[in-house]
Amino acid sequence: MKTIAALATLIALVLPGCEKPASNLDAKSPGGRIMYPITAEQADTVLYRALRSTAPEADVTGVTEPNKGYVAVINKDRRSYTYNASAVPAVGLKPDGTRVNGYAFEVSGWQSIRAGYLLESINLGAATISAPLPLANN
């Protein structure tokens, strides 16, 4: 019985860490700090398609604040899990030093592994439109 209590305590301490966001704005993310020189419409399409491909069972709702994106809710085993995916306006640098506008992406959710897969799917979708560029320093 003590083992079960200790395990429950450990799970309670670890689970909040599962909601760590994955982001192109974070230097620790795969690919580092990147953005895609794409339009708002293209960014929206990339987000929606990635959510539908990684969580087809989810109820998806559009959001506009703080950045345009989507909230996906998965109902499983009498529980509800939420993912947030958004396109963040960003400025990148072309190889010649020219600044260009576009979008970076952020994802958060109930399992950081699945949120990581979602960000990977978003990046793949965006890369089919335009190659990523490093973020410009403000």
Side-chain angles (χ1 to χ4, degrees), residues 7-137:
L7 184 58
T9 302
L10 179 64
I11 289 171
L13 292 173
V14 171
L15 280 180
C18 291
E19 294 192 24
K20 180 181 177 192
S23 172
N24 296 136
L25 302 171
D26 183 358
K28 294 179 183 176
S29 289
R33 292 174 34 88
I34 58 172
M35 58 78 69
Y36 295 89
I38 59 178
T39 67
E41 293 78 19
Q42 290 169 322
D44 186 66
T45 299
V46 165
L47 282 174
Y48 188 80
R49 286 182 180 164
L51 273 169
R52 280 292 169 218
S53 70
T54 58
E57 73 279 24
D59 293 325
V60 177
T61 305
V63 295
T64 57
E65 297 294 329
N67 294 301
K68 189 169 182 184
Y70 293 93
V71 173
V73 178
I74 300 170
N75 294 306
K76 185 176 179 178
D77 301 327
R78 295 185 284 181
R79 298 181 100 186
S80 183
Y81 305 100
T82 303
Y83 289 94
N84 300 300
S86 60
V88 181
V91 177
L93 286 177
K94 289 184 177 183
D96 67 2
T98 305
R99 296 169 74 87
V100 61
N101 293 323
Y103 291 87
F105 299 98
E106 288 187 317
V107 175
S108 62
W110 69 278
Q111 282 186 330
S112 59
I113 291 173
R114 197 164 183 180
Y117 291 145
L118 177 55
L119 182 62
E120 183 178 317
S121 180
I122 291 167
N123 286 336
L124 288 172
T128 64
I129 301 168
S130 179
L133 295 174
L135 285 172
N137 293 331

